[in-house]
Amino acid sequence: MGAPSSIEALIEAFKRLPGVGERSASRMAYHLMERDREGAQLLSQALIRAYDSVQHCVKCHSLSEELICSTCQDTSRDSTRLCVVETPADQSAVEKTAAYKGYYFVLMGTLSPLDGIGPKEMGIQSLLDRACDGVVKEVILANNFTAEGEATAFVLTEALKKRGLTVTRLARGVPVGSELEYVDIGTIAHAMVDRRNA
Amino acid sequence: MGAPSSIEALIEAFKRLPGVGERSASRMAYHLMERDREGAQLLSQALIRAYDSVQHCVKCHSLSEELICSTCQDTSRDSTRLCVVETPADQSAVEKTAAYKGYYFVLMGTLSPLDGIGPKEMGIQSLLDRACDGVVKEVILANNFTAEGEATAFVLTEALKKRGLTVTRLARGVPVGSELEYVDIGTIAHAMVDRRNA
């Protein structure tokens, strides 16, 4: 009686997206089926392509289509600097500021002991291996200024300093409690310039 | 340097959805690639399935997986009543009220002369054919109360009355659960004109 089951299934699939509830999901599904069939095809193809081709760069753990991502392959960058971010979206935000020309390491999350994500699960060892390659001198922690981000930064600072590296943290100026991905680029740029010793 | 091209393509595809801008699209794409790969697969499959199987019911023009949709096939409905709506989403809204047990006809839009959509392009003839099957007695126009919806309802009323059908329109009035203070004046004016015996 209601909507065809394949439309119901499409609505359910849209509801898995962040910020999409019943109403938006149903609007999206009907929009594609009534008015933008080409868009439905494009989206399904883009999903399949991204699903099949995107993996983690073995060097920085960011999302990449190759074994080593284009950023890590870029030899024009300053190899003495390594910027640690939580997600590829955060990396993309820092990159857009054009205030940083070193390499990155993407943690893919934060420490979250309550969820069972300790230093081991987060793969801090691979960050340490990357940072102690003998070339990197400064590690810039661009963790989010959330409780989990701060805790993660604290743990990383201890571990990295012990290995003789200079550890810096993005300047406060990024509003406390917010996530990098949603901060305006100018603020991130200032925070990059004003980075301080941790 | 930036995001992998397949992620860029995915972001572009998400941006075609209604109410989705650059930021939400990028959030959706990264969410699926970082945290919900299964969701990406589900969504692409749901899109393909809907794209392949959903068509227009030959009787009511609503979206359906069969030649004739389940609503039109439901013989328990009151075949003397036909409710005209603009979209399948509107039909779904009317259906959810459980206040109507007749059949539907979905216009798939409104008259919009500036966009070149006149009575012919909108397929008013197939509505007239459907309404004049000799069984339908009353056509309930549930067009939206927008300028285009009102214009469409006006044209349909003329054409249907000429063929001897009873034509009704959804009551305009104060929404259930609302306070007069916050209802717009036009709505109150209509509710006053259309007042009924208590």
Side-chain angles (χ1 to χ4, degrees):
Chain A
M1 236 56 68
S5 72
S6 56
I7 291 201
E8 294 290 0
L10 185 54
I11 292 173
E12 283 310 308
F14 273 128
K15 274 165 68 182
R16 289 178 80 124
L17 294 172
V20 177
E22 180 77 37
R23 242 156 218 260
S24 318
S26 136
R27 207 169 136 222
M28 288 170 179
Y30 280 117
H31 172 83
L32 290 181
M33 287 304 111
E34 286 165 31
R35 282 184 288 270
D36 192 11
R37 294 233 161 195
E38 195 201 338
Q41 249 187 331
L42 269 177
L43 181 54
S44 73
Q45 286 159 358
L47 283 161
I48 291 167
R49 193 182 140 209
Y51 183 87
D52 289 342
S53 66
V54 174
Q55 48 183 339
H56 292 285
C57 167
V58 292
K59 234 177 148 184
C60 73
H61 290 196
S62 188
L63 298 175
S64 166
E65 284 165 6
E66 292 118 292
L67 200 64
I68 294 179
C69 73
S70 56
T71 308
C72 285
Q73 279 182 34
D74 177 8
T75 52
S76 73
R77 287 174 179 257
D78 179 356
S79 57
T80 65
R81 294 204 167 81
L82 188 68
C83 179
V84 176
V85 290
E86 290 179 8
T87 66
D90 291 344
Q91 177 189 0
S92 167
V94 173
E95 189 66 10
K96 275 185 198 142
T97 66
Y100 177 71
K101 279 288 160 230
Y103 292 94
Y104 292 90
F105 188 90
V106 182
L107 291 173
M108 288 292 166
T110 55
L111 288 176
S112 185
L114 290 178
D115 301 322
I117 300 173
K120 217 190 219 166
E121 287 71 20
M122 222 183 59
I124 283 186
Q125 191 53 52
S126 47
L127 166 59
L128 295 179
D129 292 345
R130 172 70 184 90
C132 297
D133 65 350
V135 184
V136 172
K137 298 268 174 280
E138 179 187 2
V139 177
I140 299 155
L141 300 178
N143 298 73
N144 288 324
F145 286 103
T146 56
E148 292 87 356
E150 297 274 23
T152 308
F154 180 77
V155 170
L156 295 180
T157 302
E158 295 297 296
L160 291 162
K161 273 190 174 167
K162 224 183 265 170
R163 283 159 180 82
L165 291 158
T166 303
V167 184
T168 55
R169 186 103 172 77
L170 284 194
R172 280 185 192 278
V174 176
V176 174
S178 64
E179 298 179 24
L180 274 194
E181 191 180 339
Y182 305 110
V183 172
D184 75 284
I185 288 167
T187 306
I188 301 182
H190 273 297
M192 178 61 74
V193 172
D194 295 345
R195 68 185 184 272
R196 60 188 175 78
N197 290 320
Chain B
M1 236 55 65
S5 72
S6 56
I7 292 201
E8 293 290 359
L10 185 54
I11 292 172
E12 284 309 308
F14 273 127
K15 275 164 69 181
R16 289 179 79 125
L17 294 172
V20 177
E22 180 77 37
R23 244 155 216 258
S24 317
S26 136
R27 207 170 138 220
M28 289 169 178
Y30 280 117
H31 172 83
L32 290 181
M33 288 303 112
E34 286 165 33
R35 285 183 286 270
D36 191 12
R37 295 234 159 193
E38 194 200 340
Q41 248 186 331
L42 270 176
L43 181 55
S44 73
Q45 286 159 359
L47 282 161
I48 292 166
R49 193 182 140 207
Y51 183 87
D52 288 341
S53 66
V54 174
Q55 49 185 337
H56 292 284
C57 166
V58 293
K59 235 177 146 180
C60 74
H61 289 196
S62 188
L63 298 175
S64 166
E65 283 164 9
E66 294 118 291
L67 201 62
I68 295 178
C69 74
S70 55
T71 308
C72 285
Q73 279 182 36
D74 176 10
T75 52
S76 72
R77 286 174 179 259
D78 178 354
S79 57
T80 66
R81 292 204 169 82
L82 187 69
C83 178
V84 176
V85 290
E86 290 179 10
T87 65
D90 291 345
Q91 176 189 1
S92 167
V94 174
E95 189 67 9
K96 276 186 196 140
T97 67
Y100 177 72
K101 280 287 160 231
Y103 292 93
Y104 292 90
F105 188 91
V106 182
L107 290 172
M108 288 293 165
T110 54
L111 286 176
S112 184
L114 288 180
D115 302 321
I117 301 174
K120 216 189 217 167
E121 286 72 19
M122 220 182 59
I124 283 185
Q125 191 53 51
S126 48
L127 165 60
L128 296 178
D129 293 346
R130 172 71 183 88
C132 298
D133 65 351
V135 184
V136 172
K137 299 268 174 281
E138 178 187 2
V139 177
I140 299 155
L141 300 178
N143 299 71
N144 288 324
F145 289 104
T146 55
E148 292 87 357
E150 296 275 23
T152 308
F154 180 79
V155 171
L156 295 180
T157 303
E158 296 296 295
L160 291 161
K161 273 190 174 162
K162 224 182 267 172
R163 285 159 178 84
L165 292 157
T166 302
V167 183
T168 56
R169 187 102 173 78
L170 283 194
R172 262 179 298 212
V174 179
V176 173
S178 62
E179 293 172 66
L180 276 192
E181 188 183 347
Y182 304 111
V183 173
D184 75 283
I185 291 168
T187 301
I188 301 181
H190 274 295
M192 183 60 76
V193 171
D194 294 346
R195 69 186 181 278
R196 57 190 184 77
N197 292 320

